[in-house]
Amino acid sequence: KVEALLNADLIKRISTAQVYPVCNIEQALYAVEKRTATGKVVLDLTADSPVPIILPRPAALQLDPEVTYVLSGGLGGLGPSVAEMMISHGARHLVFLSRSGPKSADAQEHLRRLSGLGCNAEAFACDIGTLSSVESVQQLGAQNGWKIRGVVQCAMVLRDSTFENMTHQKWTESIQPKIHGSWNLHRVFGGQPLEFFIMLS
């Protein structure tokens, strides 16, 4: 019909137009409102044009107070902040795994602070780079009825060095918790109905 109207000279072609892809509809409407456009303002509705949308807000994090969450290496560095965030969202039983366990004064103070927030926080000496060590914690958990629903892998060993000056020992000590430790946590806890398995870089 439009072609027929054009051929009959009943309507005219748009001589001057500013064409906006549909994803830029806001700029097109602004040009119309402010009268800054020269000629007509046209929206291009090409099928592959991306269209911005406002995503719904995600549901607020709510952790189950009846289950257990495991944090490896969570007694130092970023771990305490992660633990306190988890408690603020409902977690009430946290299990920390670290090579030294709760021996240091800082670790004991951290556990006391979490206890004061209403959390049953326990720490165990566990080298996650050794499979049997992780398995022993899992067996202990089974005996105590832990329902493990989340793992946060915070463990790390810092051996900062430029690559050309890095010794093989520094290399292996650094990758042990991140690679072997993460894999062992997955092998031992991955078969359970986890809500999340988070690995920090």
Side-chain angles (χ1 to χ4, degrees):
K1 289 184 177 181
V2 172
E3 185 178 3
L5 292 172
L6 282 170
N7 291 336
D9 205 27
L10 295 174
I11 61 174
K12 304 292 185 185
R13 297 178 186 274
I14 297 173
S15 58
T16 306
Q18 284 188 249
V19 180
Y20 294 84
V22 69
C23 58
N24 291 343
I25 189 171
E26 186 177 352
Q27 288 107 322
L29 293 173
Y30 182 83
V32 171
E33 180 187 4
K34 298 299 181 183
R35 303 180 190 273
T36 59
T38 303
K40 302 296 183 181
V41 173
V42 179
L43 283 177
D44 181 3
L45 301 177
T46 307
D48 60 355
S49 293
V51 179
I53 61 172
I54 299 175
L55 295 174
R57 293 187 65 168
L61 175 63
Q62 185 59 48
L63 299 176
D64 190 341
E66 303 298 322
V67 304
T68 298
Y69 299 102
V70 175
L71 293 90
S72 61
L75 290 172
L78 192 59
S81 296
V82 172
E84 291 179 19
M85 180 275 297
M86 293 175 73
I87 292 170
S88 73
H89 289 280
R92 291 297 176 265
H93 185 212
L94 300 179
V95 169
F96 295 88
L97 310 180
S98 66
R99 285 175 300 170
S100 57
K103 291 181 180 177
S104 72
D106 284 346
Q108 291 174 21
E109 174 57 30
H110 177 48
L111 293 174
R112 278 194 296 271
R113 187 167 65 254
L114 297 182
S115 178
L117 295 174
C119 178
N120 176 20
E122 302 179 87
F124 299 92
C126 173
D127 179 3
I128 62 168
T130 304
L131 179 61
S132 60
S133 186
V134 182
E135 288 175 331
S136 66
V137 172
Q138 190 273 334
Q139 290 163 7
L140 178 64
Q143 293 168 11
N144 288 287
W146 298 348
K147 290 185 270 186
I148 297 172
R149 294 295 179 266
V151 175
V152 183
Q153 160 55 318
C154 314
M156 66 181 297
V157 173
L158 276 178
R159 295 290 182 267
D160 287 347
S161 175
T162 57
F163 192 74
E164 58 267 24
N165 294 328
M166 184 180 291
T167 64
H168 183 259
Q169 181 179 351
K170 284 183 177 180
W171 168 261
T172 54
E173 287 176 348
S174 295
I175 68 169
Q176 183 74 5
K178 286 299 183 191
I179 296 178
H180 302 291
S182 299
W183 182 241
N184 288 338
L185 290 169
H186 166 71
R187 290 170 71 183
V188 173
F189 299 118
Q192 303 190 39
L194 299 180
E195 298 166 2
F196 54 82
F197 189 113
I198 299 170
M199 294 182 288
L200 304 185
S201 65

